[in-house]
Amino acid sequence: MSLTTHDAWTLNGALDEARSVKPERRARSLSGLPPKQRPGMNRWMRLLTNPWTWISVVLFQLYALCLFLVWRQMSADQVFPQGTIPGLDWETVKTCAGYAAPTAIVWSLAFILLDRLRPMKPLLWLLAFGWGSCMSIWLSLHINSWAAEMLNVTASPGDPAAQARPAVFVAPFVEEAAKATILFLLAILLRYRIVSVLQSVCLAGLSAIGFAFTENIVYYARAMVYGSVTTGAGDVEEAVQQLVLLRGVITSYGHPMFTMFTGIGLLLGLRTRSKLVRILAPLTGFCLAALGHMGFNGMASVGQQDNRWLLVQFFLIIFFMLSFLVRHEFKEIKRIRTRLEDYVRVGWLLPEDPQNQGFERRRSWLLMVALTRGWRTLRDTVAMTRAMTELAYLRDAMVRGIIDETGREREKELLAEIKTLRHTALWEARGLKMHIPWHRLAFWRRWRTPAPTA
């Protein structure tokens, strides 16, 4: 079978196009930029060709396996020379999960709200939380047990509290390394998609909260089982409630605060050109997290403190954490405004854009008004805000020298997307009023309609 001249020209053109597309796709991947959307692909094809679909499938299966292994170890009876301590049963675990859930929900929502300037995908939030609650627990359980044996530490039968030496000298490094592993994996895979302290703190906090959630369940369940089989243990329910107050409220800041140091160090390493800083910043953050965890466990192991003093510590630490994060939020919103002004100077954006997207109050007002204008307006307004924010961070990365000239093509795509969305999205906050369709609300119609007279 022979090729005609037209077929040969068509084949050569396709090969030339493939050769030109492949280096461009590789360059965008190395710079951490999203690939171009292939024409003719529907939503399902994009889902199946997205590598994160298969990464998440593998990780979720790994999480389920680790959770099963932890359950099998915890549900087994522990035999000691003094007697046998029964393992955890399903009813006890469900009850303790209800005790631990409020702490996990409140802290998770708090960290997700932090990541609202340029939010990560919900899948990444779920992967971070799942890693901490499943994978980190399994790794810490085995490594801590092995290290305790190496230190020749023997725990009393069924005692839910850990001994001092492994809790102070081993557990901090093991647990912080287990929680931070997902951060380094995401940083390797996403490269420069993590662009702000708020994003790294969000992922670090979700991993830490997932770890604390499963750990609290284990602690509460062990306390219930230990109290139920020990004579003279007193009121078991009251003891568990005190433990819930201590671990679930007063000292609940522990795991998130320590892992935050690793997240901040990782972000500093990602946003710099210096190779020395890229190595030392994450390492310094991890060491600070482990040393802080070590000091926390040391104070908890040496002696019991007054709950009132612990409550004062809780409010002070929460205040400093909030102050630090709010300060960085103002810095990030100012960075967005400054970088968007660069495009105003060259005439690619309107003069109102930095003011509308560079102030948190105006960004929130645009989204609130879009909620009352229909689904299409809300969708396009959110897309407009995301495109503006990504454009600002792309410009910041190019100014810093983190992304090379490959970002020019992505810059053109974002500017074209913004120009298209101006027709349907809300982009000017001044003079914008919220329009609530009261006539469509059933309770408003019932309230406005007078009752029929007899």
Side-chain angles (χ1 to χ4, degrees):
M1 182 178 180
S2 60
L3 293 175
T4 63
T5 304
H6 180 268
D7 294 336
W9 285 349
T10 304
L11 181 60
N12 291 333
L15 291 175
D16 292 339
E17 183 180 359
R19 294 191 189 99
S20 62
V21 169
K22 188 173 181 180
E24 180 185 357
R25 187 181 305 169
R26 175 174 173 79
R28 290 170 71 107
S29 176
L30 291 176
S31 297
L33 299 174
K36 283 187 176 181
Q37 295 292 339
R38 300 178 185 177
M41 294 185 64
N42 56 20
R43 182 181 302 176
W44 295 107
M45 288 298 297
R46 289 196 297 269
L47 182 64
L48 292 177
T49 55
N50 189 351
W52 279 102
T53 301
W54 306 108
I55 292 174
S56 59
V57 169
V58 173
L59 286 179
F60 285 139
Q61 291 180 352
L62 187 61
Y63 294 168
L65 176 61
C66 292
L67 204 59
F68 170 74
L69 294 176
V70 171
W71 163 253
R72 189 175 65 175
Q73 182 172 349
M74 291 296 175
S75 60
D77 296 340
Q78 301 180 21
V79 180
F80 297 95
Q82 296 84 354
T84 301
I85 301 297
L88 306 183
D89 59 276
W90 180 242
E91 293 298 326
T92 303
V93 170
K94 286 196 300 183
T95 303
C96 296
Y99 293 152
T103 304
I105 293 173
V106 170
W107 278 101
S108 298
L109 291 177
F111 282 111
I112 289 174
L113 286 176
L114 281 176
D115 188 19
R116 65 180 184 274
L117 291 181
R118 194 190 179 192
M120 308 288 285
K121 294 181 179 180
L123 175 64
L124 300 179
W125 295 339
L126 190 59
L127 288 177
F129 185 88
W131 181 278
S133 59
C134 302
M135 192 71 188
S136 298
I137 286 290
W138 179 76
L139 290 173
S140 301
L141 180 65
H142 287 274
I143 298 177
N144 286 339
S145 301
W146 171 80
E149 292 178 359
M150 294 296 102
L151 290 174
N152 196 21
V153 175
T154 57
S156 58
D159 190 356
Q163 293 297 310
R165 277 184 287 176
V168 174
F169 299 106
V170 177
F173 293 93
V174 174
E175 293 177 3
E176 294 304 324
K179 290 182 293 182
T181 303
I182 186 63
L183 302 180
F184 290 96
L185 291 177
L186 292 177
I188 293 172
L189 296 175
L190 295 174
R191 288 183 174 87
Y192 304 114
R193 180 63 178 82
I194 305 175
V195 295
S196 68
V197 172
L198 302 179
Q199 288 181 323
S200 61
V201 166
C202 173
L203 295 175
L206 288 174
S207 177
I209 286 302
F211 183 90
F213 173 65
T214 308
E215 187 183 48
N216 285 341
I217 294 175
V218 173
Y219 269 85
Y220 301 159
R222 279 180 171 177
M224 292 181 67
V225 172
Y226 179 71
S228 62
V229 300
T230 303
T231 58
D235 190 353
V236 178
E237 184 65 25
E238 182 181 357
V240 172
Q241 292 300 328
Q242 291 180 357
L243 186 61
V244 170
L245 177 64
L246 180 63
R247 293 188 58 88
V249 179
I250 299 178
T251 61
S252 61
Y253 62 85
H255 284 293
M257 184 184 66
F258 303 138
T259 316
M260 277 174 51
F261 291 120
T262 307
I264 294 171
L266 179 63
L267 189 277
L268 294 178
L270 289 175
R271 303 299 293 175
T272 184
R273 297 181 61 183
S274 173
K275 294 182 179 179
L276 183 62
V277 177
R278 287 187 178 186
I279 297 174
L280 292 181
L283 183 61
T284 303
F286 171 75
C287 290
L288 289 176
L291 291 176
H293 200 159
M294 181 185 297
F296 182 85
N297 286 358
M299 290 188 296
S301 301
V302 169
Q304 295 292 333
Q305 300 185 31
D306 188 6
N307 284 346
R308 290 176 296 180
W309 171 240
L310 290 176
L311 197 59
V312 172
Q313 286 181 336
F314 169 76
F315 284 112
L316 287 176
I317 291 176
I318 293 299
F319 173 76
F320 285 116
M321 288 173 62
L322 288 177
S323 302
F324 172 80
L325 295 174
V326 169
R327 176 175 173 269
H328 273 277
E329 184 173 358
F330 281 111
K331 287 181 61 177
E332 295 300 326
I333 199 72
K334 183 180 179 181
R335 179 183 301 178
I336 294 174
R337 183 170 65 252
T338 303
R339 295 310 178 192
L340 290 179
E341 289 174 353
D342 295 344
Y343 294 100
V344 175
R345 295 189 185 97
V346 296
W348 293 349
L349 290 179
L350 299 179
E352 297 85 0
D353 290 335
Q355 304 301 319
N356 292 316
Q357 301 295 331
F359 288 96
E360 182 63 31
R361 180 169 54 86
R362 295 190 180 184
R363 289 166 61 102
S364 302
W365 180 245
L366 286 173
L367 297 177
M368 288 177 61
V369 176
L371 282 171
T372 65
R373 301 294 179 86
W375 165 248
R376 183 182 179 185
T377 304
L378 176 61
R379 180 196 63 189
D380 293 342
T381 304
V382 172
M384 178 77 130
T385 304
R386 286 175 177 263
M388 289 276 193
T389 307
E390 184 178 353
L391 184 64
Y393 279 111
L394 177 62
R395 173 64 180 171
D396 184 72
M398 294 174 67
V399 169
R400 291 170 177 264
I402 301 174
I403 296 179
D404 55 11
E405 292 299 319
T406 309
R408 298 294 181 187
E409 189 66 27
R410 180 58 180 168
E411 199 176 50
K412 296 177 183 178
E413 295 173 4
L414 291 172
L415 290 170
E417 182 182 357
I418 291 171
K419 184 178 180 180
T420 304
L421 291 172
R422 286 192 188 276
H423 301 287
T424 55
L426 301 179
W427 54 273
E428 175 57 67
R430 288 181 299 182
L432 197 62
K433 296 182 179 180
M434 185 176 295
H435 174 68
I436 301 178
W438 296 104
H439 62 281
R440 296 183 181 180
L441 303 179
F443 77 91
W444 179 260
R445 291 199 302 267
R446 288 196 300 266
W447 183 75
R448 293 284 296 179
T449 303
T453 59

